[in-house]
């Protein structure tokens, strides 16, 4: 079984602290804004991604994406969806990625709860607590577990065929640079995002520059007034 099975104690504790694990920011509203804190905002469409199983996770694709990484407790609809990223213009020709999201519904989210796997220590949770995901290669991805496995297959084969080489420097760097040439809007010369089609599969894995680089970033699920799941959002730069 892919998902963790939290204990009764964990579930009970989660119900106690659940409201502390909400975001003060309504991310859906941010995607409608033209500017915030004096910075212009833009929405960048990064294409389609597939969720064959509906069990998804957000990780640094080059460091923390492996077969043992568990998906979130919350399942999402199966299918093909678009991924988009909110971009802030920091200064002339200097853009940073603020949020990435995948929408599952046209309904309006009114509350965002942090995405959890079910093994987090909830004992000392307060309103400033963030679990999130770690970034060590400056990149983030949102993937289904089937995509995770297909990517791990590809990575293992590439590493076996290229001993002593680095998969970013010796493979992905060129693809990022090509992305910058083909889609120059809001990208630096070396490239800031790709939606990589995994060889020998029908799946793609987005790789997105994470705001200001390495660190820990929270992930939230958005819900409408009836408790319906609307979207998943990765927050790279806090907009509160």
């Amino acid at each position: 079984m892919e998902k963790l099975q939290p204990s009764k104690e964990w579930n009970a504790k989660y119900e106690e602290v659940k409201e502390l694990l909400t975001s003060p920011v309504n991310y859906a509203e941010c995607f409608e804004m033209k500017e915030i804190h004096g910075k212009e905002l833009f929405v960048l469409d990064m294409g389609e991604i597939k969720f064959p199983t509906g069990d998804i996770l957000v990780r640094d694709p080059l460091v923390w994406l492996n077969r043992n990484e568990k998906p979130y407790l919350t399942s999402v609809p199966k299918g093909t969806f678009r991924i988009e990223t909110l971009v802030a213009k920091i200064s002339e020709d200097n853009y940073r990625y603020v949020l990435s999201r995948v929408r599952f519904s046209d309904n309006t989210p009114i509350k965002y709860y942090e995405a959890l796997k079910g093994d987090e220590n909830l004992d000392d949770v307060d309103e400033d607590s963030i679990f999130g995901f770690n970034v060590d290669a400056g990149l983030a991805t949102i993937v289904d577990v089937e995509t995770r496995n297909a990517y791990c297959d590809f990575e293992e084969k590439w590493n076996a065929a290229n001993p002593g080489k680095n998969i970013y420097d010796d493979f992905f760097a060129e693809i990022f640079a090509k992305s910058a040439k083909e889609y120059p809007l809001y990208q630096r010369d070396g490239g800031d995002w790709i939606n990589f089609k995994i060889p020998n599969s029908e799946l793609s894995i987005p790789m997105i520059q994470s705001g200001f680089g390495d660190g820990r970033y929270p992930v939230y699920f958005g819900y409408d007034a009836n408790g319906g799941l609307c979207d998943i959002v990765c927050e790279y730069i806090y907009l509160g």
Side-chain angles (χ1 to χ4, degrees), residues 64-155:
W64 295 107
L65 190 62
N66 60 67
R67 298 181 196 278
N68 295 324
E69 289 292 312
K70 297 296 184 182
Y72 297 122
L73 292 174
T74 300
S75 293
V76 306
K78 300 175 185 179
T80 301
F81 305 94
R82 300 202 76 81
I83 182 169
E84 57 186 3
T85 293
L86 188 69
V87 183
K89 183 178 180 180
I90 305 301
S91 59
E92 194 64 31
D93 295 324
N94 180 13
Y95 298 91
R96 291 291 176 174
Y97 297 163
V98 180
L99 309 167
S100 290
R101 76 170 174 179
V102 179
R103 298 177 66 187
F104 309 113
S105 165
D106 291 332
N107 294 342
T108 301
I110 63 168
K111 183 170 282 191
Y112 283 87
Y113 289 97
E114 186 165 359
L116 301 178
K117 297 179 296 173
D119 61 353
E120 294 83 0
N121 184 346
L122 304 178
D123 289 340
D124 298 317
V125 166
D126 59 30
E127 61 184 8
D128 295 320
S129 296
I130 291 176
F131 292 100
F133 67 105
N134 293 321
V135 171
D136 291 317
L139 297 171
T141 190
I142 308 173
V143 292
D144 187 276
V145 294
E146 192 168 309
T147 309
R148 175 203 64 190
N149 293 342
Y151 176 75
C152 288
D153 288 342
F154 162 75
E155 185 180 46

Side-chain angles (χ1 to χ4, degrees), residues 46-50 61-62 83 141 143 147 150-155 158 167 171-176 179 183 193-208:
M46 294 180 168
E48 293 183 343
I49 54 175
K50 295 180 179 180
L62 298 187
I83 182 169
T141 190
V143 292
T147 309
Y151 176 75
C152 288
D153 288 342
F154 162 75
E155 185 180 46
W158 190 91
I167 196 169
F171 183 79
F172 281 117
E174 183 178 341
I175 298 174
F176 271 92
S179 170
Y183 309 103
W193 70 274
I194 59 175
N195 195 353
F196 175 65
K197 174 71 164 48
I198 302 171
N200 303 314
S201 83
E202 297 301 318
L203 302 170
S204 64
I205 178 171
M207 297 187 184
I208 305 162

